[in-house]
Amino acid sequence: MKFIVSSSYLLKQLQVLGSVINSSNTLPILDNFLFELDNNQLRVSASDLETTMSSTLEIDSTSQGSVAVPAKLLLEILKTFPEQPLTFTVEDNNTIEISSNSGKYALAYAPGEEFPKAVVLEEPSSTLVPAEVLATAISKTIFAAGNDDLRPVMSGVFFQFSTEGLIFVATDAHKLVKYARTDVKASQAADFIMPKKPLNILKGILGTSDAEVKIEYNDSNATFSFDNYTLTCRLIDGKYPNYEAVIPKENPNKLVMDRSQFLSSVRRVAIFANKTTHQIRLKIAGAELNISAEDIDYSNKAEERLTCDYQGDDMQIGFNSRFLTEMLTNLQSDEIQLEMSLPNRAGILTPVDGLDEGETVTMLVMPVMLNN
């Protein structure tokens, strides 16, 4: 088994696949990349049992076979090569030899048969989504997903496909983000919960692609195929909470203001907030927004006044500054709208501008109780 491949082309593909591999694996074989050679096509795979990702490379070869090569060692050596063709030859003494312009390097390999097989989905449903749309949907929602192992359904992103459009939701019970598209539709209704790790990997590579992503899914697994990549992952089992029920429908108090100005103020004032509660207070009266924070233990306090466009009753409401900062940073618009009903009901943040046709972003942040 022998093949020739460009060093930088191979490195680029392996670095993407390397993000699948865990730093400590229960099965030693998972510390390897699986190389499957079929004449001039090389399929490289990486897996952590939950997620398996593979990439197909065009190479120069006339042989066939499969071997598992140590991932860390291979990535380290590839990073040191300038751009050049490398020749990989599988020797009889259980080593694979790499020949470069300047030398030869041998690594031990494991038989390819030992590598766990990727799941093949039986009769899956499928939907086509433009890579750009999927990348935006992931980056707009993933930050709001929880990290609580006791509530695994909240540690992923909820995909809800229907003939009307696509909806992506993430929540950790303190904040919630709903990203919807009506310009991309699915042929039939379906919903599933995607874990964070494969989504982060997808987010990293979708941004540079202008392909259509084919998403195939059944009750337990989902596969994403685009360009020369295929990613298969196990879905989170369970029923997603009814997120529509927590979004307040009647919000008579509406505040519109410049996003970057609001964000800068929140960041500055938050430095003076209590380090455990991160509580900041918004006091709105007329066209004036007063943002303040106080840490009584250390006698630290800060207060800023901003002008805003406000319709509604005068009110005071408390928020966790970290959640507010995360949401404002994630929105790209020039102006944002904050809708509220009562100081103990969730506030709804939405961008006023900068959205595509058929795109909506709704962010919900739970208030914190103010101690007067």
Side-chain angles (χ1 to χ4, degrees):
M1 181 176 157
K2 180 179 176 179
F3 62 90
I4 299 169
V5 63
S6 141
S7 58
S8 54
Y9 173 50
L10 180 62
L11 175 64
K12 190 175 163 226
Q13 304 292 330
L14 292 186
Q15 279 175 321
V16 171
L17 299 177
S19 52
V20 176
I21 300 172
N22 288 334
S23 48
S24 55
N25 282 310
T26 42
L27 292 175
I29 191 76
L30 296 176
D31 293 332
N32 295 276
F33 287 123
L34 174 65
F35 280 35
E36 293 170 290
L37 186 61
D38 185 5
N39 296 321
N40 60 356
Q41 283 209 323
L42 173 68
R43 186 180 164 90
V44 188
S45 308
S47 175
D48 68 354
L49 292 183
E50 299 275 320
T51 306
T52 303
M53 188 169 184
S54 61
S55 168
T56 309
L57 287 76
E58 297 291 328
I59 48 132
D60 190 1
S61 172
T62 53
S63 47
Q64 287 158 324
S66 72
V67 289
V69 190
K72 200 170 165 207
L73 198 58
L74 186 56
L75 281 169
E76 276 179 6
I77 179 81
L78 285 174
K79 280 177 193 162
T80 63
F81 286 125
E83 165 53 41
Q84 59 180 295
L86 298 176
T87 308
F88 285 72
T89 317
V90 175
E91 305 287 356
D92 297 335
N93 59 356
N94 253 28
T95 59
I96 184 164
E97 188 180 86
I98 306 172
S99 313
S100 72
N101 294 343
S102 50
K104 289 186 170 158
Y105 319 86
L107 327 88
Y109 70 84
E113 298 75 53
E114 289 180 17
F115 202 84
K117 290 273 173 283
V119 180
V120 178
L121 277 63
E122 301 288 328
E123 298 175 20
S125 311
S126 79
T127 301
L128 283 173
V129 180
E132 188 193 354
V133 170
L134 189 58
T136 308
I138 296 170
S139 59
K140 282 270 177 276
T141 51
I142 198 162
F143 78 94
N147 295 316
D148 188 352
D149 294 337
L150 299 173
R151 288 188 286 192
V153 290
M154 285 195 186
S155 67
V157 175
F158 184 53
F159 281 43
Q160 196 173 28
F161 292 173
S162 74
T163 47
E164 269 109 63
L166 314 182
I167 295 174
F168 304 84
V169 182
T171 182
D172 62 359
H174 300 289
K175 54 184 184 291
L176 178 146
V177 178
K178 174 185 168 188
Y179 180 80
R181 299 289 296 222
T182 51
D183 54 343
V184 184
K185 298 173 174 55
S187 51
Q188 70 240 57
D191 51 56
F192 51 88
I193 308 168
M194 277 288 295
K196 266 194 214 171
K197 181 178 172 177
L199 288 178
N200 273 318
I201 296 167
L202 283 170
K203 187 174 95 171
I205 46 176
L206 283 169
T208 55
S209 170
D210 49 10
E212 284 229 290
V213 183
K214 185 180 187 188
I215 308 177
E216 295 177 287
Y217 42 91
N218 59 17
D219 292 341
S220 51
N221 294 281
T223 297
F224 295 76
S225 326
F226 59 99
D227 294 344
N228 56 342
Y229 296 107
T230 309
L231 181 140
T232 302
C233 69
R234 190 177 301 157
L235 300 170
I236 295 175
D237 193 29
K239 188 166 170 27
Y240 204 72
N242 178 3
Y243 64 89
E244 284 294 352
V246 297
I247 301 176
K249 298 289 175 273
E250 296 293 315
N251 301 295
N253 303 316
K254 292 180 171 49
L255 166 83
V256 176
M257 69 175 305
D258 182 277
R259 182 186 68 87
S260 51
Q261 196 184 1
F262 188 28
L263 176 58
S264 306
S265 279
V266 169
R267 278 192 173 138
R268 270 193 301 273
V269 171
I271 297 168
F272 295 84
N274 181 298
K275 294 292 172 271
T276 45
T277 63
H278 304 283
Q279 177 187 306
I280 60 167
R281 179 191 301 250
L282 305 187
K283 189 172 165 187
I284 318 154
E288 189 171 280
L289 165 65
N290 189 304
I291 305 176
S292 60
E294 186 169 15
D295 189 351
I296 296 166
D297 304 340
Y298 294 98
S299 303
N300 295 342
K301 83 197 242 198
E303 184 179 331
E304 287 203 12
R305 283 197 312 278
L306 298 170
T307 49
C308 61
D309 181 357
Y310 182 64
Q311 269 118 22
D313 306 328
D314 292 1
M315 72 183 291
Q316 288 197 48
I317 188 165
F319 288 116
N320 180 319
S321 62
R322 285 196 316 185
F323 299 153
L324 212 50
T325 306
E326 269 184 310
M327 293 182 163
L328 289 167
T329 308
N330 194 272
L331 291 168
Q332 255 92 52
S333 63
D334 294 333
E335 288 200 319
I336 52 103
Q337 174 170 286
L338 177 61
E339 297 176 71
M340 297 158 291
S341 54
L342 294 164
N344 59 355
R345 298 288 303 276
I348 296 178
L349 261 179
T350 48
V352 174
D353 52 83
L355 290 176
D356 290 348
E357 194 71 38
E359 178 182 34
T360 52
V361 186
T362 309
M363 299 191 172
L364 181 133
V365 57
M366 295 305 286
V368 289
M369 292 306 289
L370 290 169
N371 41 354
N372 289 322

